[in-house]
């Protein structure tokens, strides 16, 4: 299965991608994680990427498409993968289709998570991450056992620089303008399933499992 997880920041794409990965063995390909890793590399390009991401703006299509192209045809992706955070605009979506068609592949399912803006802002402002593992917490909804510390390693949790309220609002605007048109694009291909993304992560995952069973 080749799956796209579509939804605004804070809709739960990353959380659900981890659930799907552990249940089905599909690889999670998060362009945000890949770009953050590049951003932390200390190189000149890395610093430029980090500056763009910290402001909540989109990184150039050329860079992101290059990263995805290199990653999706690697051996571990043969059993299936989920794209989390890509594509984010029509150009990226079309480029992805061309890339896949060149290898006789296609996207099988687009899972769209719907949440309202108020919930997004609340979810994002309280998010905390353990960088090394990608484990995520929420100060209110899913707090760690010890404040500010990862449950398994005890290491410090961080808050993403782009997870503050002002930047989240601008990320939401970018989502509406550039990413939301993809809903129609994939609807027309009859591969889009929309899932109500309000509720607990387990409730949402249960709905995703039903969608996957229907489409596999
Ligand atoms: P995310 O972790 O998906 O919220 O992504 C964090 C940041 O990485 C975004 O705000 C963008 O700056 C950048 N990014 C991730 N994916 C893409 C993409 N497909 N196109 C452009 N920029 C991206």
């Amino acid at each position: 299965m080749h799956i796209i997880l579509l939804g605004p920041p804070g809709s739960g794409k990353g959380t659900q991608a981890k659930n799907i990965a552990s249940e089905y063995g599909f690889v999670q390909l998060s362009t945000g994680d890949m770009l953050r890793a590049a951003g932390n590399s200390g190189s000149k390009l890395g610093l430029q990427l980090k500056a763009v991401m910290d402001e909540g703006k989109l990184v150039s299509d050329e860079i992101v498409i290059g990263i995805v192209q290199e990653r999706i045809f690697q051996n571990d992706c043969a059993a299936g993968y989920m794209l989390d955070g890509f594509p984010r605009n029509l150009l990226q979506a079309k480029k992805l289709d061309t890339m896949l068609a060149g290898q006789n592949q296609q996207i099988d399912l687009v899972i769209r998570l719907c949440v309202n803006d108020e919930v997004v802002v609340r979810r994002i402002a309280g998010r905390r991450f353990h960088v090394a593992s990608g484990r995520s917490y929420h100060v209110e909804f899913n707090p760690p056992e010890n404040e500010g510390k990862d449950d398994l390693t005890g290491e410090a949790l961080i808050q993403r620089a782009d997870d503050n309220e002002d930047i989240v609002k601008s990320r939401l605007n970018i989502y509406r303008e550039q990413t939301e048109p993809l809903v129609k694009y994939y609807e027309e291909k009859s591969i889009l399933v929309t899932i109500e993304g309000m509720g607990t992560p387990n409730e949402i995952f249960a709905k995703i499992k039903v969608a996957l069973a229907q489409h596999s």
Side-chain angles (χ1 to χ4, degrees):
M1 287 283 274
H2 301 153
I3 300 168
I4 290 173
L5 291 168
L6 191 65
S11 56
K13 300 189 297 293
T15 303
Q16 296 306 334
K18 286 191 177 48
N19 286 340
I20 298 170
S22 64
E23 179 111 2
Y24 298 88
F26 304 148
V27 181
Q28 175 189 6
L29 303 177
S30 157
T31 45
D33 285 349
M34 293 179 211
L35 289 164
R36 272 186 291 279
N40 290 330
S41 68
S43 68
K44 196 173 159 208
L45 175 65
L47 290 174
Q48 286 167 356
L49 289 176
K50 192 172 176 330
V52 174
M53 287 185 278
D54 285 356
E55 277 186 54
K57 299 193 172 138
L58 292 189
V59 165
S60 84
D61 291 327
E62 199 190 344
I63 290 179
V64 184
I65 289 165
I67 289 178
V68 170
Q69 188 150 26
E70 205 173 288
R71 189 65 189 85
I72 54 173
F73 300 121
Q74 285 176 11
N75 289 342
D76 62 333
C77 290
Y81 56 78
M82 295 154 283
L83 288 163
D84 157 14
F86 182 91
R88 259 180 157 92
N89 59 32
L90 270 174
L91 188 147
Q92 293 181 7
K94 289 182 179 161
K95 193 74 200 181
L96 175 65
D97 284 345
T98 310
M99 251 185 247
L100 291 173
Q103 303 287 326
N104 286 323
Q105 294 181 11
Q106 64 190 23
I107 293 296
D108 303 297
L109 187 64
V110 179
I111 300 175
R112 171 192 179 209
L113 295 173
C114 266
V115 289
N116 68 42
D117 289 5
E118 204 182 298
V119 170
V120 162
V121 174
R122 227 169 126 205
R123 278 187 185 174
I124 289 194
R127 291 206 294 202
R128 299 293 182 271
F129 292 92
H130 177 241
V131 176
S133 67
R135 273 186 288 282
S136 63
Y137 299 85
H138 190 282
V139 289
E140 196 184 337
F141 309 132
N142 175 31
E145 283 165 21
N146 296 306
E147 197 185 324
K149 302 268 192 286
D150 176 50
D151 286 350
L152 295 191
T153 64
E155 287 165 355
L157 302 178
I158 60 119
Q159 180 173 25
R160 277 171 47 174
D162 58 347
D163 272 359
N164 74 59
E165 204 170 321
D166 287 343
I167 304 237
V168 170
K169 286 183 180 153
S170 113
R171 285 162 68 197
L172 276 170
N173 285 338
I174 293 175
Y175 179 81
R176 301 276 172 251
E177 281 163 21
Q178 303 205 32
T179 314
E180 204 131 79
L182 298 183
V183 170
K184 187 160 169 272
Y185 181 75
Y186 291 119
E187 233 163 25
E188 283 168 0
K189 293 177 183 287
S190 303
I191 53 170
L192 183 93
V193 53
T194 296
I195 290 183
E196 181 58 63
M198 317 280 267
T200 67
N202 282 343
E203 285 163 357
I204 297 157
F205 186 43
K207 292 189 228 169
I208 290 179
K209 284 201 272 192
V210 173
L212 283 170
Q214 283 167 352
H215 289 86
S216 57

